[in-house]
């Protein structure tokens, strides 16, 4: 008798294995600062490899060439970074679902990234942006805010060098008594922040935040407003001006 054995050899043995990162996995987006995420891959096996970014429902958001990964423009939410080892594969396309992949492949462990978005928005005003200092008239400046994103918000007034002059929660500003010169009104959206204190500089703020566009306010003395000259205290230096 001749015995014949049919041996089935499984040649599909790719390993996506494990990816790790030492970078923060909660990142701030919308602050105009890139926060690249680098990952390390170990133990992978397979003729081909790729990188896949999905949402928590495994919908494929991107197929980047490789680390580091810049998620600045991805919007708020949670995403998963995967390494993909494969011999052949179908369905690895942006817009499809990684749960529907077919072929000879294996996905690594994922790294979960939480993306927090902030946007300072845009502020505008219909009030005059040139005000007279020292005329005893109350000249309030009201600003309108649109497009802001963030858990926390406040308003900041700085000088032209971004030194913080005041911080307030309401969008109505009384700048009488703050002296002559130019100041800037900003809206500030933030999740966490340090350095937002009167006397410090807004250019040194740290954390997850974003500033709006500024509204420039020019404060002049009565003498200047009427076309004369005034010193830094607003005192007329031109006899044609009233005292």
């Amino acid at each position: 008798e001749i015995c014949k054995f049919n041996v089935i050899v499984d040649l599909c043995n790719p390993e996506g294995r494990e990816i790790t990162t030492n970078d923060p996995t909660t990142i701030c987006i919308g602050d105009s600062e890139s926060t690249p995420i680098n990952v390390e891959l170990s133990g992978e096996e397979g003729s081909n490899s790729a990188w896949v970014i999905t949402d928590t429902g495994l919908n494929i958001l991107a197929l980047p060439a490789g680390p580091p990964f810049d998620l600045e423009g991805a919007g708020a939410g949670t995403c998963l970074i995967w390494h993909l080892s494969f011999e052949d594969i179908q369905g690895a396309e942006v817009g499809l679902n990684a749960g529907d992949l077919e072929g000879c492949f294996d996905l690594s462990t994922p790294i979960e990234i939480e993306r927090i978005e902030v946007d300072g928005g845009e502020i505008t005003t219909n009030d005059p942006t040139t005000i007279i200092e020292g005329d005893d008239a109350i000249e309030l400046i009201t600003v309108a805010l649109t497009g802001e994103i963030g858990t926390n918000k406040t308003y900041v007034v700085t000088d032209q060098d971004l030194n913080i002059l005041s911080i307030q929660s309401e969008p109505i500003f009384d700048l009488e008594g703050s002296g002559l010169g130019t100041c800037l009104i900003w809206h500030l959206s933030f999740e966490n922040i340090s350095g937002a204190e009167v006397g410090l500089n807004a250019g040194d703020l740290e954390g997850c935040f974003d500033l709006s566009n500024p509204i420039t306010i020019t404060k002049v003395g009565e003498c200047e407003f009427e076309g004369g000259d005034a010193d830094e205290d607003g005192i007329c230096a031109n006899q044609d001006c009233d005292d």
Side-chain angles (χ1 to χ4, degrees), residues 169-182:
S169 59
E170 299 301 322
I172 302 175
F173 301 86
D174 180 4
L175 301 177
E176 183 71 26
S178 57
L180 303 181
T182 299

Side-chain angles (χ1 to χ4, degrees), residues 156 158 161-164 186 195 200-205 209 211:
V156 179
T158 74
D161 296 321
L162 300 186
N163 297 301
I164 299 174
W186 311 78
L200 301 183
N201 193 282
D204 297 326
L205 292 173
F209 70 91
L211 284 164

Side-chain angles (χ1 to χ4, degrees), residues 152-211:
N152 308 293
K153 68 177 185 178
T154 192
Y155 291 90
V156 179
V157 180
T158 74
D159 64 15
Q160 286 183 298
D161 296 321
L162 300 186
N163 297 301
I164 299 174
L165 306 177
S166 65
I167 298 174
Q168 64 181 65
S169 59
E170 299 301 322
I172 302 175
F173 301 86
D174 180 4
L175 301 177
E176 183 71 26
S178 57
L180 303 181
T182 299
C183 65
L184 306 173
I185 298 173
W186 311 78
H187 175 258
L188 172 65
S189 292
F190 63 99
E191 294 297 320
N192 55 77
I193 198 167
S194 60
E197 300 178 26
V198 173
L200 301 183
N201 193 282
D204 297 326
L205 292 173
E206 294 184 354
C208 184
F209 70 91
D210 189 49
L211 284 164

Side-chain angles (χ1 to χ4, degrees), residues 3 20 28 123 226:
C3 247
T20 57
C28 183
I123 55 175
E226 295 171 3

Side-chain angles (χ1 to χ4, degrees), residues 55-78:
D55 62 15
T56 55
L58 299 186
N59 298 298
I60 299 175
L61 306 177
L63 298 166
F69 304 105
D70 185 356
L71 303 176
E72 177 66 25
T78 301

